[in-house]
Amino acid sequence: MLRNRFQITMILAATMMAAGFMPVTASAQASRSPVAPRRELVESVVREAYDKFKGETNGKNADYIPYLAQVDSKLFGIAIVTADNQVLTLGDVNYSFSIQSISKVFTLALALEELGPDKVFQRIGSEPTGRPFNSVPAVVDMPTHSGNPLVNAGAIATMSLISGKDANEKWNKILAFYSKAAGERLTLIEEVYKSEAATNAGNKALSMLLAKYDRIYADPFESVDIYTKQCSVGVNASQLARMGATLANNGINPATREQVIKREHVPYLLATMTMAGLYDSSGYWAWHVGLPAKSGVGGGIVAIVPGKGAIAVFAPPLDEAGNSVKAQKVIEYVANKLDFNLYSPASVGLK
Ligand code: DON
């Protein structure tokens, strides 16, 4: 159901305090935020983007996972969380959608915690494939076979690096880690998981190919199953923006103040997102937007503005590459209007 909530709400510390998080006072934090001085501008640009793209009808819900085909394609929500925990939301930001491939960033973060960057990149790789996200030929042709941690093969292999005495322990560790990044407890959307598990023969095939090349590090089908669960974790736009803001804030969750990801790992995660976060559209994205980002076939995209915050947009219809059409347009519009493109000198104040 699309509810036309044109009212932008700035939800400051009160919400977080009510949720039991460490209090953050707006006045104390405002002076530290590079976004806060331009709060009205950010609000008006986000509202403009919402109004401009709400009527966009291009794209189509993912239908290779049956559940996703029947999600209301008019749902549309935008959330920004700044590094100092200011929250700005517009539209359908409470609807819980499956995180899908955005999960890959956080499983990579967990693998980096457990093994460190050298081992992870030796065992997985970091090159864009130049191929669609579910490409079988890429697994055969690429020297690393796994490609990088954000395409399906590399993500399944990355998941297989996570330690645990059994599948349950590994899965619980992943879910707890994502929850720390979001600052609240996330849960599995059972129907998405069941729908995807019944139709994931392609990912099982990728896992067996990885096994052939010795590039998967636990039982292949067990790894696909946990990977399928990680993709079926439910997030709403606000939670996703907070996960992004944790990356923007040196790995510290701005709401809970917990160091979730080691600060020295953040550049690896953002570099990987820049190269492959939007699959075979990552080049277009770098060219036009210039922000590390990650998409999922659930309809979410989160983009990171390092040191400042993150913007998450949810709108189910996808383009050919599997990226939300509206989310790309909104983030491109907001990033350009606010000079967030990291490759532009304007992003650091040079005009
Ligand atoms: O493995 C899959 O196909 C899905 N669980 C995730 C794919 C995905 O999100 C690609 N995104 N743009």
Side-chain angles (χ1 to χ4, degrees):
M1 178 190 52
L2 176 65
R3 276 190 273 151
N4 284 335
R5 274 177 277 147
F6 290 104
Q7 197 187 7
I8 295 176
T9 48
M10 291 296 295
I11 309 160
L12 293 171
T15 319
M16 300 303 162
M17 287 170 76
F21 297 119
M22 194 167 161
V24 179
T25 60
S27 54
Q29 294 288 335
S31 57
R32 297 216 308 265
S33 169
V35 175
R38 300 194 297 164
R39 197 169 82 192
E40 293 73 20
L41 177 62
V42 176
E43 280 180 3
S44 72
V45 169
V46 169
R47 185 191 294 267
E48 266 167 43
Y50 185 90
D51 288 342
K52 192 170 163 62
F53 300 116
K54 69 176 187 290
E56 168 69 59
T57 52
N58 284 321
K60 192 168 154 293
N61 283 28
D63 56 8
Y64 73 98
I65 299 169
Y67 178 95
L68 298 181
Q70 39 100 11
V71 172
D72 182 350
S73 57
K74 293 197 187 66
L75 287 164
F76 183 26
I78 305 177
I80 288 180
V81 176
T82 66
D84 62 351
N85 198 35
Q86 297 193 56
V87 183
L88 190 157
T89 59
L90 183 57
D92 298 302
V93 291
N94 294 320
Y95 182 90
S96 203
F97 55 96
S98 53
I99 189 168
Q100 293 296 345
S101 285
I102 303 164
S103 66
K104 295 167 180 174
V105 174
F106 294 90
T107 301
L108 171 60
L110 184 55
L112 289 170
E113 296 290 310
E114 291 202 342
L115 291 102
D118 292 347
K119 281 200 180 115
V120 171
F121 288 111
Q122 184 200 345
R123 291 182 198 183
I124 307 298
S126 60
E127 293 309 315
T129 65
R131 304 267 176 79
F133 68 85
N134 52 359
S135 173
V136 171
V139 181
V140 177
D141 294 347
M142 288 194 80
T144 59
H145 304 292
S146 31
N148 68 65
L150 302 185
V151 293
N152 286 13
I156 295 163
T158 305
M159 187 284 116
S160 76
L161 291 174
I162 305 304
S163 64
K165 69 175 185 316
D166 56 25
N168 224 21
E169 188 172 299
K170 294 176 192 178
W171 158 239
N172 285 325
K173 185 194 281 182
I174 288 172
L175 187 61
F177 188 73
Y178 292 7
S179 299
K180 279 201 276 179
E184 47 193 283
R185 194 191 309 186
L186 302 177
T187 54
L188 182 75
I189 306 178
E190 279 287 345
E191 295 136 288
V192 176
Y193 167 62
K194 284 199 189 113
S195 179
E196 186 161 346
T199 52
N200 66 356
N203 285 334
K204 287 183 182 148
L206 292 177
S207 76
M208 292 312 287
L209 261 182
L210 289 167
K212 166 181 150 86
Y213 294 114
D214 236 353
R215 296 289 288 180
I216 191 157
Y217 308 102
D219 179 79
F221 284 5
E222 175 195 280
S223 304
V224 171
D225 188 54
I226 302 172
Y227 161 85
T228 305
K229 281 189 174 149
Q230 75 170 47
C231 290
S232 306
V233 169
V235 285
N236 60 38
S238 302
Q239 291 165 331
L240 183 57
R242 206 168 316 109
M243 293 174 89
T246 299
L247 289 171
N249 193 34
N250 266 333
I252 300 169
N253 182 311
T256 64
R257 310 298 306 159
E258 184 179 2
Q259 183 89 50
V260 181
I261 297 166
K262 284 201 181 79
R263 62 183 294 146
E264 61 268 31
H265 292 166
V266 170
Y268 297 112
L269 295 162
L270 299 186
T272 310
M273 290 166 79
T274 299
M275 289 184 297
L278 270 78
Y279 303 110
D280 35 338
S281 290
S282 299
Y284 172 94
W285 185 259
W287 181 279
H288 292 276
V289 185
L291 288 177
K294 186 71 203 83
S295 66
V297 292
I301 299 185
V302 61
I304 317 302
V305 191
K308 294 184 179 170
I311 176 166
V313 183
F314 165 59
L318 311 176
D319 65 13
E320 288 291 310
N323 302 313
S324 166
V325 174
K326 274 200 194 95
Q328 290 179 82
K329 293 197 169 184
V330 168
I331 298 170
E332 179 173 350
Y333 185 88
V334 172
N336 287 340
K337 283 266 176 173
L338 298 177
D339 285 333
F340 282 157
N341 186 326
L342 295 182
Y343 304 120
S344 160
S347 71
V348 288
L350 294 179
K351 294 289 173 198

